[in-house]
Structures are given as structure tokens and as C-alpha cells.
Amino acid sequence: MTTSVSRGGLAVAGVSKRYGSMTILDEVDFHVAEGEFVAVVGPSGSGKTTLLNTVAGFVDPDEGEILVNGAAVTGPGPSRCVVFQEYAIFPWLTVRRNIEFGMRLKARRRPAAQRDEVVDRYLELMGLTAFADALPKTLSGGMRQRVALARAYAVDPEILLMDEPFAALDAQTRETMQETLLEINQKEKRTVLFVTHQVEEAIFLAERVVVMSARPARVREVVPVPWQGRRTHELKTTVEFIELRREIETMLRGSA
Ligand SMILES: Nc1ncnc2c1ncn2[C@@H]1O[C@H](COP(=O)(O)OP(=O)(O)OP(=O)(O)O)[C@@H](O)[C@H]1O
Ligand SMILES: [Mg+2]
């Protein structure tokens, strides 16, 4: 543990959480290297959101600690930015203002001219340029999540936390969004912790997958994802992909 703590990125060290007499997280330990994309999969209700919330600083662990680039997490802060399942964007702000919003809040604020430049870049990267002045209610669900992603990347936190960000989308939009996320993360390499209950999504997106057990959540295994190079949705139909998916799904079922 002491070795992971001294490195950059995210270290989750011996984290336990109880609600009343119920243990939700049981000595959870893992590490996300700087610039690495790690997914956490676990059965429904196993404690994935609780885990992500402890990293975000919304929930205090009973035991253990969380370090982001060596600094202990003691509450919410600008080093971490969360993309939630539900569209957490402001309905009264335009797309542009929504993306800009996080940058205004950040402790180390940027000058206005620089903010405009950053917003323009993310509008472009997310294919939202034509919708810069639109209000969220005029956008589809997928586009709203693009705004949420753009906002999170624009803040440029030390780590990006994503809690099933595509779960509310239809299957086809979800696939497109997964490819968009891979694309943006390839261009703007960030440290990402991505929570999902879908094994397919986890192994499509991540470099390593942390497989959790059913409640109380423990780390069952950390699985490296072998695909090299650019990932497109065709990957999901390859034998290697299907085999790894089955293997992890079996691990998850074994823990139920
Ligand atoms: N604030 C709280 N008070 C009491 N119990 C809680 C609280 N937050 C979560 N729990 C319980 O902790 C357990 C894990 O919940 P959590 O939302 O972390 O699971 P999850 O893996 O994210 O589930 P899902 O797959 O449905 O998103 C559940 O049994 C839930 O009822
Ligand atoms: Mg959850």
C-alpha cells in the first residue's frame, strides 16, 4: 500500500464504509496510475457509487484513505470532477455557459479570453459547435451527456470520475458515446475512474478493470485489458473480446 501511495494518480487504500450495521465497502484497495483509464465493475447495489463518492469526497470512509497525486481526500475539491448518470447540467444555461461553468468555479480560475478558447475547443471536440447557444432542453440525451463530458474535461481536474454516465441512454447512443469518450481521452489523456455494471462497456473503454464482489464490496480481481491501438465498436464482436467479457461476467456471478 505504501508503494502505491507514493506514486501519482489515485490510490484507494484499505477503504471501508458501513451504513448502520451494513458493511458496504470492505477494505477496498486499488490504484489508478496518472493518465490511466480504469473501470470498476460490480453487481447492482454492490457499492460502486458509494466507492466513487468516497473518491469524490462526498462520503467519508470509516477506515482507510484516498490519495489523489499524494494528497489525502478530505472532502469535495477541484482535483476531482464527477460525471453523473443523470444529466447534471443546468437547464437555464446554454451549452457554452454550461461548459464554462466548472472553469469559473475552479480555485485556479482562468482569464475570460482563455476560457472562451477552451470552451471552443471542447465544443468542437464534442461536435457541439452548432449548439453552443442552445439550451439543454432542445438537445437529445446523448448530446446533454456530451455537454457534461465537455464540462468535466474543460475543468481539467487531476482525476475524472464517471458513474455510469451512459446508463440512461439507448443502446445505439451509448455505443456512440463510448467511442466519443475514447476519442476525447486519446486526444486529452486524463486519469479516469469509470464505474459501470456493464462488463462490455468496462473492457471496451478501460486499460484495467477492477472487478468488485457483491456486498460487502471487495476487490475480487484487477484485470488488464489486452487490446492495443485504436478501439472501434467492431472490437466487441471479436473472439478475444467475447471471451474476456464472459470471464469477468463469470467472476461477477460467482460473487453473487
Ligand atoms: N446514504 C446511505 N445510507 C444508507 N445506505 C446507503 C446509503 N448510500 C448507499 N447505501 C446502500 O449501500 C448499498 C450500495 O449502494 P450503491 O449505490 O453504492 O451501489 P451501486 O453498486 O452503485 O448500485 P447500482 O448498480 O444500483 O448503481 C445499497 O444497499 C444502498 O442501499
Ligand atoms: Mg450506482
Side-chain angles (χ1 to χ4, degrees):
M1 221 156 309
T2 34
T3 51
S4 66
V5 163
S6 60
R7 281 182 269 157
L10 167 72
V12 175
V15 166
S16 296
K17 179 71 193 171
R18 284 176 294 276
Y19 282 120
S21 60
M22 193 162 65
T23 302
I24 311 296
L25 304 176
D26 190 13
E27 293 187 19
V28 175
D29 257 310
F30 66 93
H31 180 259
V32 182
E34 216 169 335
E36 193 183 22
F37 193 125
V38 169
V40 172
V41 291
S44 185
S46 59
K48 302 180 296 296
T49 295
T50 305
L51 173 64
L52 191 117
N53 284 343
T54 62
V55 177
F58 303 144
V59 166
D60 282 332
D62 295 313
E63 278 145 47
E65 66 174 344
I66 291 155
L67 293 122
V68 174
N69 289 332
V73 168
T74 54
S79 66
R80 289 139 293 140
C81 199
V82 188
V83 181
F84 300 95
Q85 174 178 339
E86 296 303 330
Y87 317 121
I89 56 174
F90 300 114
W92 60 89
L93 293 179
T94 64
V95 166
R96 170 178 292 282
R97 294 282 167 236
N98 260 293
I99 297 175
E100 198 192 41
F101 183 79
M103 279 191 283
R104 284 176 184 270
L105 281 187
K106 201 179 174 184
R108 199 161 26 88
R109 285 175 54 156
R110 303 170 201 244
Q114 208 182 327
R115 281 206 304 266
D116 286 347
E117 212 174 284
V118 174
V119 173
D120 284 340
R121 187 152 55 85
Y122 286 100
L123 283 168
E124 171 93 41
L125 270 172
M126 286 307 205
L128 290 167
T129 306
F131 302 93
D133 300 316
L135 285 170
K137 68 175 179 216
T138 65
L139 305 179
S140 69
M143 283 159 79
R144 277 181 240 177
Q145 273 314 58
R146 278 172 202 269
V147 178
L149 278 180
R151 183 171 65 188
Y153 274 84
V155 169
D156 192 19
E158 289 167 50
I159 177 160
L160 282 163
L161 307 172
M162 304 189 190
D163 190 2
E164 310 228 23
F166 310 143
L169 305 174
D170 64 88
Q172 209 180 329
T173 309
R174 187 172 189 151
E175 290 223 315
T176 313
M177 289 301 295
Q178 289 167 352
E179 288 183 326
T180 305
L181 177 59
L182 282 175
E183 216 174 291
I184 188 171
N185 207 61
Q186 200 172 27
K187 288 184 182 136
E188 315 254 321
K189 194 80 179 145
R190 301 294 169 81
T191 311
V192 182
L193 183 66
F194 186 103
V195 162
T196 178
H197 66 269
Q198 242 191 39
V199 175
E200 180 186 271
E201 183 165 76
I203 64 174
F204 183 61
L205 294 173
E207 292 163 76
R208 285 189 303 139
V209 177
V210 176
V211 184
M212 308 293 291
S213 66
R215 227 180 45 232
R218 299 191 182 96
V219 176
R220 265 185 99 81
E221 209 150 332
V222 180
V223 181
V225 174
W227 349 117
Q228 308 286 333
R230 204 168 165 263
R231 301 178 188 190
T232 61
H233 67 273
E234 284 89 20
L235 174 66
K236 293 180 182 173
T237 57
T238 64
V239 175
E240 295 89 330
F241 189 95
I242 293 164
E243 274 177 1
L244 185 60
R245 198 183 85 193
R246 281 214 189 105
E247 203 181 301
I248 296 177
E249 281 169 354
T250 307
M251 278 180 214
L252 288 174
R253 267 198 301 277
S255 74

